Amino acid sequence: MLTAENLVKTFPGVRALDGAGLRLAAGSVHALLGENGAGKSTLIKILTGVHRPDGGRVALGGTDLHLNGPLDAQRAGIGVVHQERNLIPGFSIAENILLHHLPRRFGLVDRARMRAEARRCLGLLDLDLDPDTPVSRLSVAQAQLVEIAKALSVDSKVLLLDEPTASLTADEADRLYGIVRRLRDNGHAVVLVSHKLEEVFAIADTVTVLRDGRSVAEAEPLAGHTQDQIVDLMVGRAYSSVRLAERHVDPATPPLLRLDGLCTARGHRDISLSVRPGEILGLYGLVGAGRSELAKALVGLDRITSGTMEVRGRPVRIRGVGDALRGHRIGYVSENRKEEGLFLDQPVARNVAVTVWRRLARAGLVTDRAERRLLTRYVDRLGIRISAPSQLAGQLSGGNQQKVSLAKWLAAECEILIVDEPTVGIDVRTKAAFHELIAELAGAGLALLLISSDLPEIVTLADRIAVMNDFSLRGELVNDHDYARMSQAIIRLIHDERAPGEQD
């Protein structure tokens, strides 16, 4: 159905694609895999008209495609759901779905037809939603499915899904993949970009693996590979998981951060927890449980209405991120790196230095040289792949953006670090490196509050696990790192269940 051959794309200082290819068959699910920076997003943007290739060809049904923009791709029958949602919050579901092809009558928008067409697209996904509902009122999972309905509204024969389950719970992901199987059975070609290999192997038929902008496997049957073999293709050598050094936290050590009966304006109720130096406290819960909102309240981005927050044994009231950093040495690595974590239109060096401008300033000025000198400390330590310190943060892959977001807080020498969804959309090798780094930071004495929807990640890293649901704390577990036992105990807490004889 679709063929891409010998694609080349170069950005300033970076050759993102160097002869990459892709072949899709109708009625199949095709996995597109690779490490961060391998060229997956660039390939998708070429197929959807966002970028024009410097070389190579793209053909649909045997006819060469020359796309001058995303609308050309839509008209050709190529739909895409990007990792970052592209819905307009203030518009209704129907307005978002039909945004680029609104039905008209007598020169005006025909709202009756618009609602009817939106209901048809939602019906393809078994979504029982009012088309007039503002997108701002949708859950993360609902918004993701509306994105797919939007792609299907233009009769997409090829559907590209970029990390579609990154923000979904396991149940929501299962529902989404049920829909993907139905689309496959109806003759669509579906491309799945994901770093969750267990999901890829559960649903995909064929696979293409990119490494350094080249195809090292192209349209091969996935059944002929193991997960380890796919990882080896992505990495370029035999890969073994990182084994984390053991850490021991003395329970008698006074906590650096302590919450007692905390309530917030966002709806948190009676949150009590603590984190000691050298400890990783995992905060787990389903999407919408209130974990990220709690993190924002701790750094002054949301209002605490009652209860106490203590730092180093003293009650504090934090007025903003600057106060959290300079007054209390608290850092916050946001899950939303593009909107909250980075200045995408600024150089990488400036993004890392922004938390310590006061320290770098001489006579009130911060020089480019000082920012670059600071950056060099973290490029090797975190494995940040950049073409130059002046490269814009927005030009980096997702994994490298996350490393830059973390580097700015390490530069500030925080003692308490809140890390929210550190490995969403990150490949297996980079994820392992992040795990090693987080454990290393705890070993150096930092107190870490780790928020993650990745249950294996929580069980791998955390010393204790606090479980949240509906903006309240359901319980806390000492982690023995037995995945089967811990995951069952966590799920029971989320649903407020107890095993026979189990105590609080």
Side-chain angles (χ1 to χ4, degrees):
M1 180 176 283
L2 184 144
T3 303
E5 297 176 342
N6 299 316
L7 291 181
V8 175
K9 183 63 181 178
T10 302
F11 299 102
V14 178
R15 196 172 182 87
L17 292 179
D18 188 14
L22 186 70
R23 288 181 285 127
L24 306 179
S28 70
V29 178
H30 188 89
L32 177 60
L33 305 179
E35 292 189 276
N36 290 102
K40 304 185 300 298
S41 294
T42 302
L43 177 54
I44 284 180
K45 288 177 179 177
I46 286 175
L47 297 179
T48 54
V50 176
H51 294 324
R52 298 190 69 175
D54 300 325
R57 66 184 285 266
V58 177
L60 185 65
T63 303
D64 282 7
L65 281 181
H66 301 283
L67 305 175
N68 294 313
L71 285 178
D72 283 354
Q74 287 183 14
R75 295 187 186 107
I78 301 173
V80 62
V81 178
H82 292 288
Q83 185 175 349
E84 292 81 23
R85 283 180 293 280
N86 289 307
L87 301 176
I88 301 174
F91 283 14
S92 69
I93 292 174
E95 288 167 336
N96 272 281
I97 290 176
L98 280 299
L99 185 62
H100 295 297
H101 47 103
L102 292 169
R104 297 183 180 275
R105 182 184 174 121
F106 306 124
L108 301 175
V109 174
D110 188 338
R111 293 196 169 271
R113 279 180 56 203
M114 181 177 72
R115 293 187 190 97
E117 178 63 13
R119 285 193 186 94
R120 184 189 71 81
C121 296
L122 294 171
L124 294 174
L125 307 179
D126 290 335
L127 272 180
D128 185 19
L129 294 174
D130 183 350
D132 290 327
T133 303
V135 162
S136 58
R137 289 168 49 187
L138 300 180
S139 69
V140 172
Q142 289 171 331
Q144 188 76 293
L145 292 172
V146 168
E147 287 266 26
I148 296 175
K150 179 179 176 181
L152 295 177
S153 71
V154 293
D155 194 26
S156 300
K157 300 300 182 187
V158 176
L159 183 61
L160 310 175
L161 302 178
D162 191 357
E163 295 290 348
T165 66
S167 301
L168 303 186
T169 65
D171 288 344
E172 292 164 343
D174 286 344
R175 181 183 177 193
L176 172 62
Y177 284 137
I179 292 166
V180 169
R181 291 186 183 95
R182 191 189 318 156
L183 293 173
R184 175 196 62 193
D185 295 343
N186 288 336
H188 292 76
V190 181
V191 177
L192 172 66
V193 179
S194 178
H195 292 301
K196 300 179 180 180
L197 291 183
E198 65 280 1
E199 293 182 353
V200 168
F201 273 80
I203 192 170
D205 305 302
T206 52
V207 62
T208 289
V209 180
L210 297 185
R211 187 171 71 239
D212 297 328
R214 299 182 179 91
S215 302
V216 293
E218 189 173 315
E220 295 186 7
L222 192 60
H225 296 82
T226 66
Q227 290 194 30
D228 286 343
Q229 288 171 338
I230 292 295
V231 172
D232 291 347
L233 284 171
M234 292 164 57
V235 174
R237 57 179 172 76
Y239 174 83
S240 59
S241 299
V242 173
R243 292 191 175 183
L244 303 179
E246 289 189 14
R247 292 176 295 102
H248 300 284
V249 180
D250 186 351
T253 304
L256 274 179
L257 174 67
R258 181 172 175 269
L259 311 180
D260 187 11
L262 203 73
C263 299
T264 74
R266 294 296 296 270
H268 295 93
R269 305 178 301 279
D270 196 27
I271 303 292
S272 298
L273 52 82
S274 62
V275 194
R276 298 175 178 85
E279 183 178 39
I280 301 173
L281 175 66
L283 196 57
Y284 185 80
L286 303 181
V287 173
R291 298 163 302 153
S292 296
E293 292 83 357
L294 177 62
K296 290 180 179 180
L298 299 185
V299 295
L301 293 174
D302 279 328
R303 186 166 57 90
I304 294 173
T305 56
S306 63
T308 58
M309 174 179 174
E310 295 181 358
V311 176
R312 300 176 193 87
R314 295 184 178 181
V316 300
R317 186 164 292 278
I318 294 175
R319 295 173 176 81
V321 176
D323 182 29
L325 175 61
R326 290 186 286 272
H328 306 286
R329 308 282 291 278
I330 301 175
Y332 172 48
V333 182
S334 169
E335 67 169 334
N336 190 346
R337 55 183 175 254
K338 290 186 180 293
E339 294 181 17
E340 298 175 351
L342 298 171
F343 301 110
L344 298 178
D345 59 350
Q346 294 296 316
V348 174
R350 186 153 301 153
N351 273 276
V352 173
V354 66
T355 55
V356 291
W357 271 344
R358 292 186 181 187
R359 193 174 79 203
L360 297 179
R362 295 292 181 268
L365 298 175
V366 179
T367 64
D368 291 345
R369 182 179 180 184
E371 291 180 337
R372 291 195 297 269
R373 191 164 54 241
L374 176 70
L375 174 64
T376 57
R377 301 180 194 174
Y378 299 99
V379 168
D380 290 337
R381 181 181 176 187
L382 302 184
I384 303 173
R385 295 173 62 179
I386 57 174
S387 59
S390 59
Q391 184 178 4
L392 301 183
Q395 296 174 343
L396 300 180
S397 67
N400 282 300
Q401 287 181 354
Q402 189 74 322
K403 292 176 184 179
V404 172
S405 185
L406 178 60
K408 73 177 185 180
W409 297 109
L410 298 183
E413 299 175 350
C414 298
E415 293 182 357
I416 300 168
L417 190 59
I418 303 169
V419 187
D420 194 351
E421 300 288 5
T423 60
V424 166
I426 289 179
D427 63 80
V428 62
R429 181 165 65 169
T430 306
K431 177 183 281 193
F434 260 93
H435 289 178
E436 190 175 31
L437 175 62
I438 289 170
E440 177 188 319
L441 294 174
L446 270 72
L448 286 111
L449 181 62
L450 172 66
I451 300 170
S452 179
S453 301
D454 186 335
L455 194 51
E457 180 168 77
I458 284 283
V459 175
T460 296
L461 290 172
D463 299 297
R464 292 179 294 120
I465 302 171
V467 180
M468 286 186 67
N469 193 17
D470 193 24
F471 284 69
S472 64
L473 202 60
R474 297 302 196 204
E476 188 177 290
L477 302 164
V478 175
N479 188 10
D480 65 5
H481 302 286
D482 183 309
Y483 179 73
R485 182 164 53 245
M486 293 306 302
S487 60
Q488 291 173 10
I490 288 168
I491 297 304
R492 287 198 297 269
L493 277 177
I494 287 176
H495 298 291
D496 201 22
E497 299 170 351
R498 294 284 186 273
E502 186 177 18
Q503 302 298 313
D504 287 344

